[in-house]
PDB file of all heavy atoms in Angstrom:
ATOM      1  N   MET A   9      16.275  -0.326   5.315  1.00  0.00           N
ATOM      2  CA  MET A   9      15.946  -0.575   6.716  1.00  0.00           C
ATOM      3  C   MET A   9      14.443  -0.465   6.964  1.00  0.00           C
ATOM      4  O   MET A   9      13.837  -1.324   7.607  1.00  0.00           O
ATOM      5  CB  MET A   9      16.698   0.424   7.617  1.00  0.00           C
ATOM      6  CG  MET A   9      18.193   0.165   7.709  1.00  0.00           C
ATOM      7  SD  MET A   9      19.127   1.613   8.329  1.00  0.00           S
ATOM      8  CE  MET A   9      18.307   1.914   9.877  1.00  0.00           C
ATOM      9  N   ASN A  10      13.842   0.607   6.445  1.00  0.00           N
ATOM     10  CA  ASN A  10      12.401   0.805   6.660  1.00  0.00           C
ATOM     11  C   ASN A  10      11.570  -0.242   5.936  1.00  0.00           C
ATOM     12  O   ASN A  10      10.513  -0.658   6.428  1.00  0.00           O
ATOM     13  CB  ASN A  10      11.999   2.210   6.221  1.00  0.00           C
ATOM     14  CG  ASN A  10      12.429   3.271   7.211  1.00  0.00           C
ATOM     15  OD1 ASN A  10      12.906   2.959   8.302  1.00  0.00           O
ATOM     16  ND2 ASN A  10      12.282   4.526   6.840  1.00  0.00           N
ATOM     17  N   PHE A  11      12.048  -0.661   4.771  1.00  0.00           N
ATOM     18  CA  PHE A  11      11.341  -1.722   4.038  1.00  0.00           C
ATOM     19  C   PHE A  11      11.347  -3.024   4.830  1.00  0.00           C
ATOM     20  O   PHE A  11      10.296  -3.654   5.028  1.00  0.00           O
ATOM     21  CB  PHE A  11      11.991  -1.937   2.669  1.00  0.00           C
ATOM     22  CG  PHE A  11      11.520  -3.172   1.954  1.00  0.00           C
ATOM     23  CD1 PHE A  11      10.173  -3.350   1.637  1.00  0.00           C
ATOM     24  CD2 PHE A  11      12.418  -4.178   1.598  1.00  0.00           C
ATOM     25  CE1 PHE A  11       9.738  -4.504   0.980  1.00  0.00           C
ATOM     26  CE2 PHE A  11      12.000  -5.316   0.957  1.00  0.00           C
ATOM     27  CZ  PHE A  11      10.653  -5.488   0.643  1.00  0.00           C
ATOM     28  N   LEU A  12      12.521  -3.430   5.317  1.00  0.00           N
ATOM     29  CA  LEU A  12      12.626  -4.678   6.082  1.00  0.00           C
ATOM     30  C   LEU A  12      11.841  -4.593   7.383  1.00  0.00           C
ATOM     31  O   LEU A  12      11.178  -5.565   7.791  1.00  0.00           O
ATOM     32  CB  LEU A  12      14.099  -4.973   6.376  1.00  0.00           C
ATOM     33  CG  LEU A  12      14.967  -5.306   5.154  1.00  0.00           C
ATOM     34  CD1 LEU A  12      16.432  -5.443   5.555  1.00  0.00           C
ATOM     35  CD2 LEU A  12      14.477  -6.593   4.484  1.00  0.00           C
ATOM     36  N   LEU A  13      11.876  -3.432   8.029  1.00  0.00           N
ATOM     37  CA  LEU A  13      11.134  -3.249   9.276  1.00  0.00           C
ATOM     38  C   LEU A  13       9.626  -3.331   9.051  1.00  0.00           C
ATOM     39  O   LEU A  13       8.881  -3.829   9.911  1.00  0.00           O
ATOM     40  CB  LEU A  13      11.493  -1.885   9.885  1.00  0.00           C
ATOM     41  CG  LEU A  13      10.845  -1.526  11.229  1.00  0.00           C
ATOM     42  CD1 LEU A  13      11.272  -2.516  12.314  1.00  0.00           C
ATOM     43  CD2 LEU A  13      11.209  -0.099  11.633  1.00  0.00           C
ATOM     44  N   GLY A  14       9.181  -2.875   7.890  1.00  0.00           N
ATOM     45  CA  GLY A  14       7.747  -2.825   7.634  1.00  0.00           C
ATOM     46  C   GLY A  14       7.136  -4.115   7.128  1.00  0.00           C
ATOM     47  O   GLY A  14       5.906  -4.282   7.190  1.00  0.00           O
ATOM     48  N   ILE A  15       7.957  -5.058   6.633  1.00  0.00           N
ATOM     49  CA  ILE A  15       7.427  -6.293   6.047  1.00  0.00           C
ATOM     50  C   ILE A  15       6.485  -7.050   6.988  1.00  0.00           C
ATOM     51  O   ILE A  15       5.359  -7.408   6.587  1.00  0.00           O
ATOM     52  CB  ILE A  15       8.573  -7.217   5.571  1.00  0.00           C
ATOM     53  CG1 ILE A  15       9.252  -6.619   4.336  1.00  0.00           C
ATOM     54  CG2 ILE A  15       8.037  -8.618   5.235  1.00  0.00           C
ATOM     55  CD1 ILE A  15      10.458  -7.413   3.858  1.00  0.00           C
ATOM     56  N   PRO A  16       6.858  -7.334   8.245  1.00  0.00           N
ATOM     57  CA  PRO A  16       5.947  -8.090   9.129  1.00  0.00           C
ATOM     58  C   PRO A  16       4.608  -7.397   9.343  1.00  0.00           C
ATOM     59  O   PRO A  16       3.569  -8.065   9.468  1.00  0.00           O
ATOM     60  CB  PRO A  16       6.740  -8.176  10.444  1.00  0.00           C
ATOM     61  CG  PRO A  16       8.152  -7.961  10.069  1.00  0.00           C
ATOM     62  CD  PRO A  16       8.127  -7.000   8.914  1.00  0.00           C
ATOM     63  N   PHE A  17       4.619  -6.069   9.380  1.00  0.00           N
ATOM     64  CA  PHE A  17       3.385  -5.324   9.595  1.00  0.00           C
ATOM     65  C   PHE A  17       2.550  -5.274   8.315  1.00  0.00           C
ATOM     66  O   PHE A  17       1.317  -5.337   8.361  1.00  0.00           O
ATOM     67  CB  PHE A  17       3.710  -3.900  10.071  1.00  0.00           C
ATOM     68  CG  PHE A  17       4.443  -3.862  11.372  1.00  0.00           C
ATOM     69  CD1 PHE A  17       5.831  -3.883  11.398  1.00  0.00           C
ATOM     70  CD2 PHE A  17       3.754  -3.827  12.582  1.00  0.00           C
ATOM     71  CE1 PHE A  17       6.523  -3.858  12.604  1.00  0.00           C
ATOM     72  CE2 PHE A  17       4.432  -3.812  13.789  1.00  0.00           C
ATOM     73  CZ  PHE A  17       5.815  -3.825  13.799  1.00  0.00           C
ATOM     74  N   LEU A  18       3.237  -5.185   7.179  1.00  0.00           N
ATOM     75  CA  LEU A  18       2.538  -5.106   5.901  1.00  0.00           C
ATOM     76  C   LEU A  18       1.783  -6.399   5.594  1.00  0.00           C
ATOM     77  O   LEU A  18       0.633  -6.359   5.131  1.00  0.00           O
ATOM     78  CB  LEU A  18       3.539  -4.797   4.780  1.00  0.00           C
ATOM     79  CG  LEU A  18       2.969  -4.551   3.384  1.00  0.00           C
ATOM     80  CD1 LEU A  18       2.034  -3.355   3.393  1.00  0.00           C
ATOM     81  CD2 LEU A  18       4.107  -4.327   2.393  1.00  0.00           C
ATOM     82  N   ILE A  19       2.393  -7.552   5.848  1.00  0.00           N
ATOM     83  CA  ILE A  19       1.732  -8.821   5.515  1.00  0.00           C
ATOM     84  C   ILE A  19       0.541  -9.117   6.435  1.00  0.00           C
ATOM     85  O   ILE A  19      -0.278  -9.980   6.122  1.00  0.00           O
ATOM     86  CB  ILE A  19       2.735 -10.004   5.556  1.00  0.00           C
ATOM     87  CG1 ILE A  19       3.338 -10.155   6.947  1.00  0.00           C
ATOM     88  CG2 ILE A  19       3.815  -9.821   4.502  1.00  0.00           C
ATOM     89  CD1 ILE A  19       4.301 -11.328   7.058  1.00  0.00           C
ATOM     90  N   SER A  20       0.448  -8.368   7.527  1.00  0.00           N
ATOM     91  CA  SER A  20      -0.689  -8.569   8.437  1.00  0.00           C
ATOM     92  C   SER A  20      -1.853  -7.641   8.121  1.00  0.00           C
ATOM     93  O   SER A  20      -2.913  -7.718   8.750  1.00  0.00           O
ATOM     94  CB  SER A  20      -0.244  -8.349   9.893  1.00  0.00           C
ATOM     95  OG  SER A  20       0.130  -7.002  10.110  1.00  0.00           O
ATOM     96  N   GLU A  21      -1.666  -6.758   7.140  1.00  0.00           N
ATOM     97  CA  GLU A  21      -2.747  -5.843   6.763  1.00  0.00           C
ATOM     98  C   GLU A  21      -3.879  -6.597   6.064  1.00  0.00           C
ATOM     99  O   GLU A  21      -3.639  -7.566   5.352  1.00  0.00           O
ATOM    100  CB  GLU A  21      -2.217  -4.741   5.831  1.00  0.00           C
ATOM    101  CG  GLU A  21      -1.236  -3.784   6.481  1.00  0.00           C
ATOM    102  CD  GLU A  21      -1.882  -2.837   7.474  1.00  0.00           C
ATOM    103  OE1 GLU A  21      -3.125  -2.756   7.514  1.00  0.00           O
ATOM    104  OE2 GLU A  21      -1.125  -2.161   8.215  1.00  0.00           O
ATOM    105  N   ALA A  22      -5.098  -6.109   6.265  1.00  0.00           N
ATOM    106  CA  ALA A  22      -6.264  -6.765   5.673  1.00  0.00           C
ATOM    107  C   ALA A  22      -6.734  -6.088   4.388  1.00  0.00           C
ATOM    108  O   ALA A  22      -7.313  -6.736   3.515  1.00  0.00           O
ATOM    109  CB  ALA A  22      -7.412  -6.787   6.690  1.00  0.00           C
ATOM    110  N   ASP A  23      -6.476  -4.794   4.267  1.00  0.00           N
ATOM    111  CA  ASP A  23      -6.993  -4.041   3.131  1.00  0.00           C
ATOM    112  C   ASP A  23      -5.894  -3.768   2.110  1.00  0.00           C
ATOM    113  O   ASP A  23      -5.039  -2.894   2.315  1.00  0.00           O
ATOM    114  CB  ASP A  23      -7.593  -2.713   3.618  1.00  0.00           C
ATOM    115  CG  ASP A  23      -8.206  -1.897   2.492  1.00  0.00           C
ATOM    116  OD1 ASP A  23      -8.241  -2.390   1.340  1.00  0.00           O
ATOM    117  OD2 ASP A  23      -8.670  -0.768   2.756  1.00  0.00           O
ATOM    118  N   PHE A  24      -5.920  -4.513   1.014  1.00  0.00           N
ATOM    119  CA  PHE A  24      -4.983  -4.281  -0.081  1.00  0.00           C
ATOM    120  C   PHE A  24      -5.729  -3.740  -1.304  1.00  0.00           C
ATOM    121  O   PHE A  24      -5.471  -4.121  -2.438  1.00  0.00           O
ATOM    122  CB  PHE A  24      -4.228  -5.569  -0.429  1.00  0.00           C
ATOM    123  CG  PHE A  24      -3.136  -5.900   0.542  1.00  0.00           C
ATOM    124  CD1 PHE A  24      -3.399  -6.682   1.654  1.00  0.00           C
ATOM    125  CD2 PHE A  24      -1.854  -5.400   0.366  1.00  0.00           C
ATOM    126  CE1 PHE A  24      -2.398  -6.983   2.566  1.00  0.00           C
ATOM    127  CE2 PHE A  24      -0.852  -5.690   1.270  1.00  0.00           C
ATOM    128  CZ  PHE A  24      -1.125  -6.482   2.379  1.00  0.00           C
ATOM    129  N   GLY A  25      -6.670  -2.832  -1.015  1.00  0.00           N
ATOM    130  CA  GLY A  25      -7.444  -2.212  -2.077  1.00  0.00           C
ATOM    131  C   GLY A  25      -6.615  -1.251  -2.904  1.00  0.00           C
ATOM    132  O   GLY A  25      -5.484  -0.909  -2.556  1.00  0.00           O
ATOM    133  N   ALA A  26      -7.213  -0.793  -3.993  1.00  0.00           N
ATOM    134  CA  ALA A  26      -6.496   0.056  -4.947  1.00  0.00           C
ATOM    135  C   ALA A  26      -5.987   1.343  -4.316  1.00  0.00           C
ATOM    136  O   ALA A  26      -4.873   1.796  -4.619  1.00  0.00           O
ATOM    137  CB  ALA A  26      -7.415   0.376  -6.125  1.00  0.00           C
ATOM    138  N   THR A  27      -6.787   1.932  -3.424  1.00  0.00           N
ATOM    139  CA  THR A  27      -6.388   3.210  -2.826  1.00  0.00           C
ATOM    140  C   THR A  27      -5.110   3.079  -2.014  1.00  0.00           C
ATOM    141  O   THR A  27      -4.183   3.893  -2.146  1.00  0.00           O
ATOM    142  CB  THR A  27      -7.510   3.756  -1.920  1.00  0.00           C
ATOM    143  OG1 THR A  27      -8.679   4.006  -2.719  1.00  0.00           O
ATOM    144  CG2 THR A  27      -7.080   5.062  -1.265  1.00  0.00           C
ATOM    145  N   ASN A  28      -5.029   2.050  -1.174  1.00  0.00           N
ATOM    146  CA  ASN A  28      -3.825   1.858  -0.367  1.00  0.00           C
ATOM    147  C   ASN A  28      -2.612   1.539  -1.234  1.00  0.00           C
ATOM    148  O   ASN A  28      -1.494   1.973  -0.939  1.00  0.00           O
ATOM    149  CB  ASN A  28      -4.041   0.732   0.649  1.00  0.00           C
ATOM    150  CG  ASN A  28      -4.859   1.186   1.840  1.00  0.00           C
ATOM    151  OD1 ASN A  28      -5.005   2.380   2.082  1.00  0.00           O
ATOM    152  ND2 ASN A  28      -5.392   0.247   2.591  1.00  0.00           N
ATOM    153  N   ILE A  29      -2.836   0.787  -2.316  1.00  0.00           N
ATOM    154  CA  ILE A  29      -1.721   0.426  -3.198  1.00  0.00           C
ATOM    155  C   ILE A  29      -1.180   1.646  -3.934  1.00  0.00           C
ATOM    156  O   ILE A  29       0.030   1.921  -3.905  1.00  0.00           O
ATOM    157  CB  ILE A  29      -2.148  -0.656  -4.217  1.00  0.00           C
ATOM    158  CG1 ILE A  29      -2.527  -1.969  -3.515  1.00  0.00           C
ATOM    159  CG2 ILE A  29      -1.027  -0.881  -5.239  1.00  0.00           C
ATOM    160  CD1 ILE A  29      -1.366  -2.627  -2.789  1.00  0.00           C
ATOM    161  N   TRP A  30      -2.078   2.403  -4.582  1.00  0.00           N
ATOM    162  CA  TRP A  30      -1.584   3.509  -5.396  1.00  0.00           C
ATOM    163  C   TRP A  30      -1.008   4.637  -4.540  1.00  0.00           C
ATOM    164  O   TRP A  30      -0.017   5.273  -4.934  1.00  0.00           O
ATOM    165  CB  TRP A  30      -2.633   4.032  -6.369  1.00  0.00           C
ATOM    166  CG  TRP A  30      -3.705   4.947  -5.840  1.00  0.00           C
ATOM    167  CD1 TRP A  30      -5.000   4.632  -5.549  1.00  0.00           C
ATOM    168  CD2 TRP A  30      -3.579   6.359  -5.587  1.00  0.00           C
ATOM    169  NE1 TRP A  30      -5.680   5.734  -5.102  1.00  0.00           N
ATOM    170  CE2 TRP A  30      -4.841   6.804  -5.127  1.00  0.00           C
ATOM    171  CE3 TRP A  30      -2.538   7.273  -5.692  1.00  0.00           C
ATOM    172  CZ2 TRP A  30      -5.093   8.133  -4.769  1.00  0.00           C
ATOM    173  CZ3 TRP A  30      -2.774   8.605  -5.321  1.00  0.00           C
ATOM    174  CH2 TRP A  30      -4.025   9.019  -4.884  1.00  0.00           C
ATOM    175  N   THR A  31      -1.601   4.880  -3.373  1.00  0.00           N
ATOM    176  CA  THR A  31      -1.018   5.908  -2.505  1.00  0.00           C
ATOM    177  C   THR A  31       0.342   5.466  -1.973  1.00  0.00           C
ATOM    178  O   THR A  31       1.273   6.282  -1.854  1.00  0.00           O
ATOM    179  CB  THR A  31      -1.944   6.243  -1.326  1.00  0.00           C
ATOM    180  OG1 THR A  31      -2.317   5.040  -0.627  1.00  0.00           O
ATOM    181  CG2 THR A  31      -3.202   6.955  -1.807  1.00  0.00           C
ATOM    182  N   GLY A  32       0.486   4.174  -1.670  1.00  0.00           N
ATOM    183  CA  GLY A  32       1.775   3.657  -1.209  1.00  0.00           C
ATOM    184  C   GLY A  32       2.856   3.777  -2.269  1.00  0.00           C
ATOM    185  O   GLY A  32       3.998   4.156  -1.977  1.00  0.00           O
ATOM    186  N   VAL A  33       2.490   3.464  -3.518  1.00  0.00           N
ATOM    187  CA  VAL A  33       3.440   3.577  -4.633  1.00  0.00           C
ATOM    188  C   VAL A  33       3.820   5.041  -4.858  1.00  0.00           C
ATOM    189  O   VAL A  33       5.000   5.371  -5.052  1.00  0.00           O
ATOM    190  CB  VAL A  33       2.843   2.973  -5.918  1.00  0.00           C
ATOM    191  CG1 VAL A  33       3.754   3.255  -7.111  1.00  0.00           C
ATOM    192  CG2 VAL A  33       2.642   1.469  -5.754  1.00  0.00           C
ATOM    193  N   ALA A  34       2.819   5.927  -4.827  1.00  0.00           N
ATOM    194  CA  ALA A  34       3.081   7.356  -5.029  1.00  0.00           C
ATOM    195  C   ALA A  34       3.972   7.913  -3.922  1.00  0.00           C
ATOM    196  O   ALA A  34       4.867   8.723  -4.184  1.00  0.00           O
ATOM    197  CB  ALA A  34       1.761   8.124  -5.073  1.00  0.00           C
ATOM    198  N   LEU A  35       3.738   7.468  -2.697  1.00  0.00           N
ATOM    199  CA  LEU A  35       4.579   7.899  -1.582  1.00  0.00           C
ATOM    200  C   LEU A  35       6.036   7.475  -1.807  1.00  0.00           C
ATOM    201  O   LEU A  35       6.962   8.235  -1.516  1.00  0.00           O
ATOM    202  CB  LEU A  35       4.057   7.310  -0.267  1.00  0.00           C
ATOM    203  CG  LEU A  35       2.835   7.987   0.348  1.00  0.00           C
ATOM    204  CD1 LEU A  35       2.189   7.096   1.395  1.00  0.00           C
ATOM    205  CD2 LEU A  35       3.219   9.333   0.971  1.00  0.00           C
ATOM    206  N   GLY A  36       6.220   6.285  -2.321  1.00  0.00           N
ATOM    207  CA  GLY A  36       7.578   5.792  -2.549  1.00  0.00           C
ATOM    208  C   GLY A  36       8.281   6.469  -3.701  1.00  0.00           C
ATOM    209  O   GLY A  36       9.438   6.889  -3.576  1.00  0.00           O
ATOM    210  N   ILE A  37       7.586   6.590  -4.829  1.00  0.00           N
ATOM    211  CA  ILE A  37       8.227   7.124  -6.036  1.00  0.00           C
ATOM    212  C   ILE A  37       8.357   8.643  -6.001  1.00  0.00           C
ATOM    213  O   ILE A  37       9.433   9.188  -6.286  1.00  0.00           O
ATOM    214  CB  ILE A  37       7.436   6.686  -7.291  1.00  0.00           C
ATOM    215  CG1 ILE A  37       7.525   5.166  -7.458  1.00  0.00           C
ATOM    216  CG2 ILE A  37       7.967   7.407  -8.530  1.00  0.00           C
ATOM    217  CD1 ILE A  37       6.705   4.629  -8.608  1.00  0.00           C
ATOM    218  N   ILE A  38       7.266   9.315  -5.632  1.00  0.00           N
ATOM    219  CA  ILE A  38       7.251  10.783  -5.695  1.00  0.00           C
ATOM    220  C   ILE A  38       7.674  11.411  -4.371  1.00  0.00           C
ATOM    221  O   ILE A  38       8.642  12.171  -4.307  1.00  0.00           O
ATOM    222  CB  ILE A  38       5.851  11.302  -6.093  1.00  0.00           C
ATOM    223  CG1 ILE A  38       5.462  10.765  -7.471  1.00  0.00           C
ATOM    224  CG2 ILE A  38       5.823  12.839  -6.082  1.00  0.00           C
ATOM    225  CD1 ILE A  38       4.035  11.062  -7.875  1.00  0.00           C
ATOM    226  N   GLN A  39       6.933  11.070  -3.280  1.00  0.00           N
ATOM    227  CA  GLN A  39       7.132  11.775  -2.020  1.00  0.00           C
ATOM    228  C   GLN A  39       8.475  11.486  -1.371  1.00  0.00           C
ATOM    229  O   GLN A  39       9.000  12.322  -0.628  1.00  0.00           O
ATOM    230  CB  GLN A  39       5.991  11.416  -1.053  1.00  0.00           C
ATOM    231  CG  GLN A  39       5.876  12.347   0.139  1.00  0.00           C
ATOM    232  CD  GLN A  39       6.361  11.714   1.428  1.00  0.00           C
ATOM    233  OE1 GLN A  39       6.447  10.495   1.553  1.00  0.00           O
ATOM    234  NE2 GLN A  39       6.672  12.565   2.404  1.00  0.00           N
ATOM    235  N   ILE A  40       9.054  10.320  -1.642  1.00  0.00           N
ATOM    236  CA  ILE A  40      10.354   9.991  -1.065  1.00  0.00           C
ATOM    237  C   ILE A  40      11.434   9.881  -2.146  1.00  0.00           C
ATOM    238  O   ILE A  40      12.452  10.576  -2.101  1.00  0.00           O
ATOM    239  CB  ILE A  40      10.284   8.675  -0.258  1.00  0.00           C
ATOM    240  CG1 ILE A  40       9.375   8.848   0.958  1.00  0.00           C
ATOM    241  CG2 ILE A  40      11.679   8.274   0.199  1.00  0.00           C
ATOM    242  CD1 ILE A  40       9.894   9.824   1.984  1.00  0.00           C
ATOM    243  N   GLY A  41      11.229   9.021  -3.136  1.00  0.00           N
ATOM    244  CA  GLY A  41      12.255   8.775  -4.151  1.00  0.00           C
ATOM    245  C   GLY A  41      12.676  10.030  -4.901  1.00  0.00           C
ATOM    246  O   GLY A  41      13.845  10.437  -4.870  1.00  0.00           O
ATOM    247  N   CYS A  42      11.723  10.664  -5.581  1.00  0.00           N
ATOM    248  CA  CYS A  42      12.045  11.872  -6.357  1.00  0.00           C
ATOM    249  C   CYS A  42      12.464  13.021  -5.451  1.00  0.00           C
ATOM    250  O   CYS A  42      13.364  13.798  -5.800  1.00  0.00           O
ATOM    251  CB  CYS A  42      10.833  12.278  -7.196  1.00  0.00           C
ATOM    252  SG  CYS A  42      10.473  11.150  -8.559  1.00  0.00           S
ATOM    253  N   ALA A  43      11.828  13.119  -4.277  1.00  0.00           N
ATOM    254  CA  ALA A  43      12.169  14.202  -3.345  1.00  0.00           C
ATOM    255  C   ALA A  43      13.632  14.132  -2.934  1.00  0.00           C
ATOM    256  O   ALA A  43      14.333  15.155  -2.884  1.00  0.00           O
ATOM    257  CB  ALA A  43      11.269  14.140  -2.118  1.00  0.00           C
ATOM    258  N   TYR A  44      14.117  12.936  -2.653  1.00  0.00           N
ATOM    259  CA  TYR A  44      15.509  12.785  -2.227  1.00  0.00           C
ATOM    260  C   TYR A  44      16.493  12.994  -3.374  1.00  0.00           C
ATOM    261  O   TYR A  44      17.609  13.484  -3.172  1.00  0.00           O
ATOM    262  CB  TYR A  44      15.722  11.414  -1.580  1.00  0.00           C
ATOM    263  CG  TYR A  44      15.454  11.431  -0.099  1.00  0.00           C
ATOM    264  CD1 TYR A  44      14.166  11.305   0.397  1.00  0.00           C
ATOM    265  CD2 TYR A  44      16.496  11.608   0.802  1.00  0.00           C
ATOM    266  CE1 TYR A  44      13.912  11.340   1.752  1.00  0.00           C
ATOM    267  CE2 TYR A  44      16.254  11.643   2.165  1.00  0.00           C
ATOM    268  CZ  TYR A  44      14.957  11.508   2.640  1.00  0.00           C
ATOM    269  OH  TYR A  44      14.702  11.558   3.982  1.00  0.00           O
ATOM    270  N   ILE A  45      16.089  12.641  -4.578  1.00  0.00           N
ATOM    271  CA  ILE A  45      16.951  12.892  -5.739  1.00  0.00           C
ATOM    272  C   ILE A  45      17.120  14.397  -5.931  1.00  0.00           C
ATOM    273  O   ILE A  45      18.227  14.903  -6.134  1.00  0.00           O
ATOM    274  CB  ILE A  45      16.359  12.238  -6.997  1.00  0.00           C
ATOM    275  CG1 ILE A  45      16.500  10.711  -6.912  1.00  0.00           C
ATOM    276  CG2 ILE A  45      17.054  12.771  -8.262  1.00  0.00           C
ATOM    277  CD1 ILE A  45      15.795   9.958  -8.016  1.00  0.00           C
ATOM    278  N   PHE A  46      16.005  15.139  -5.858  1.00  0.00           N
ATOM    279  CA  PHE A  46      16.080  16.594  -5.998  1.00  0.00           C
ATOM    280  C   PHE A  46      16.844  17.229  -4.827  1.00  0.00           C
ATOM    281  O   PHE A  46      17.631  18.153  -5.020  1.00  0.00           O
ATOM    282  CB  PHE A  46      14.676  17.195  -6.084  1.00  0.00           C
ATOM    283  CG  PHE A  46      13.972  16.928  -7.385  1.00  0.00           C
ATOM    284  CD1 PHE A  46      12.657  16.463  -7.400  1.00  0.00           C
ATOM    285  CD2 PHE A  46      14.599  17.146  -8.598  1.00  0.00           C
ATOM    286  CE1 PHE A  46      11.999  16.214  -8.592  1.00  0.00           C
ATOM    287  CE2 PHE A  46      13.948  16.905  -9.809  1.00  0.00           C
ATOM    288  CZ  PHE A  46      12.644  16.444  -9.795  1.00  0.00           C
ATOM    289  N   LEU A  47      16.609  16.725  -3.601  1.00  0.00           N
ATOM    290  CA  LEU A  47      17.291  17.280  -2.435  1.00  0.00           C
ATOM    291  C   LEU A  47      18.794  17.043  -2.517  1.00  0.00           C
ATOM    292  O   LEU A  47      19.597  17.929  -2.183  1.00  0.00           O
ATOM    293  CB  LEU A  47      16.733  16.660  -1.150  1.00  0.00           C
ATOM    294  CG  LEU A  47      17.349  17.164   0.165  1.00  0.00           C
ATOM    295  CD1 LEU A  47      17.144  18.667   0.314  1.00  0.00           C
ATOM    296  CD2 LEU A  47      16.740  16.420   1.353  1.00  0.00           C
ATOM    297  N   ASN A  48      19.179  15.864  -2.968  1.00  0.00           N
ATOM    298  CA  ASN A  48      20.598  15.558  -3.135  1.00  0.00           C
ATOM    299  C   ASN A  48      21.246  16.537  -4.114  1.00  0.00           C
ATOM    300  O   ASN A  48      22.333  17.072  -3.855  1.00  0.00           O
ATOM    301  CB  ASN A  48      20.762  14.120  -3.643  1.00  0.00           C
ATOM    302  CG  ASN A  48      22.213  13.753  -3.883  1.00  0.00           C
ATOM    303  OD1 ASN A  48      23.060  13.865  -3.013  1.00  0.00           O
ATOM    304  ND2 ASN A  48      22.518  13.317  -5.103  1.00  0.00           N
ATOM    305  N   ALA A  49      20.576  16.794  -5.226  1.00  0.00           N
ATOM    306  CA  ALA A  49      21.100  17.729  -6.220  1.00  0.00           C
ATOM    307  C   ALA A  49      21.159  19.146  -5.646  1.00  0.00           C
ATOM    308  O   ALA A  49      22.120  19.892  -5.891  1.00  0.00           O
ATOM    309  CB  ALA A  49      20.231  17.703  -7.470  1.00  0.00           C
ATOM    310  N   ALA A  50      20.149  19.519  -4.865  1.00  0.00           N
ATOM    311  CA  ALA A  50      20.101  20.865  -4.287  1.00  0.00           C
ATOM    312  C   ALA A  50      21.240  21.099  -3.308  1.00  0.00           C
ATOM    313  O   ALA A  50      21.877  22.158  -3.312  1.00  0.00           O
ATOM    314  CB  ALA A  50      18.760  21.071  -3.578  1.00  0.00           C
TER     315      ALA A  50
END
């Protein structure tokens, strides 16, 4: 849901520099993905 909601806003962004990309990936994999896997197990 959040991915689909964010698509229109994401394609309108002007800055696709390395910092925004790597922080976005880290937020997805570590801060949300891994966090929810550990929380589910807990």
Side-chain angles (χ1 to χ4, degrees):
M9 288 162 56
N10 285 352
F11 169 59
L12 293 174
L13 182 62
I15 289 176
F17 298 90
L18 185 61
I19 61 178
S20 66
E21 293 288 348
D23 182 4
F24 283 90
T27 298
N28 282 343
I29 296 296
W30 79 258
T31 53
V33 173
L35 282 164
I37 294 176
I38 299 172
Q39 195 254 340
I40 295 294
C42 290
Y44 271 83
I45 289 173
F46 288 132
L47 181 60
N48 178 55

